[in-house]
Amino acid sequence: PYRDGAFLSRFGFVIGLVAAPFLVLAVTGEPVRQTVSSDVPLMLAAGLIVGFGSVWGNGCTSGHGVCGLSRLSKRSFVATAIFMGVAVVAVFVTRHVI
């Protein structure tokens, strides 16, 4: 069922997911920290917005950013540029304006 090295690339991806936090710890000496908001209405709104964006953008940020870019998809290049641009603006506004 796995042709053209698909198994190896998928296996490498999973190994990278597992190894990345340990590599960050080894390089920086700090563990990876992740927090989740306890604001339920905010989380519901965020989920709806992400779902709408995934449908409207014909895929999610990970799909375009990981799979689409690796396939050299023009649509994924444009989508990823838009996702990243909006993320930069959102972080700037959140940290410096609000």
Side-chain angles (χ1 to χ4, degrees):
Y2 296 107
R3 294 181 207 102
D4 301 325
F7 174 77
L8 288 178
S9 66
R10 291 174 180 166
F11 182 72
F13 179 74
V14 171
I15 293 300
L17 285 175
V18 173
F22 297 106
L23 291 173
V24 169
L25 178 63
V27 171
T28 66
E30 296 284 327
V32 175
R33 291 186 174 86
Q34 181 176 349
T35 60
V36 177
S37 175
S38 60
D39 185 349
V40 174
L42 176 67
M43 297 295 280
L44 288 172
L48 289 171
I49 291 168
V50 168
F52 174 75
S54 295
V55 171
W56 194 39
N58 293 317
C60 66
T61 55
S62 299
H64 283 295
V66 176
C67 299
L69 292 181
S70 67
R71 289 188 356 235
L72 302 177
S73 165
K74 291 178 186 175
R75 178 167 50 176
S76 290
F77 278 108
V78 171
T80 303
I82 291 170
F83 298 150
M84 294 304 293
V86 169
V88 168
V89 170
V91 169
F92 179 82
V93 168
T94 304
R95 293 196 177 175
H96 301 290
V97 176
I98 297 177

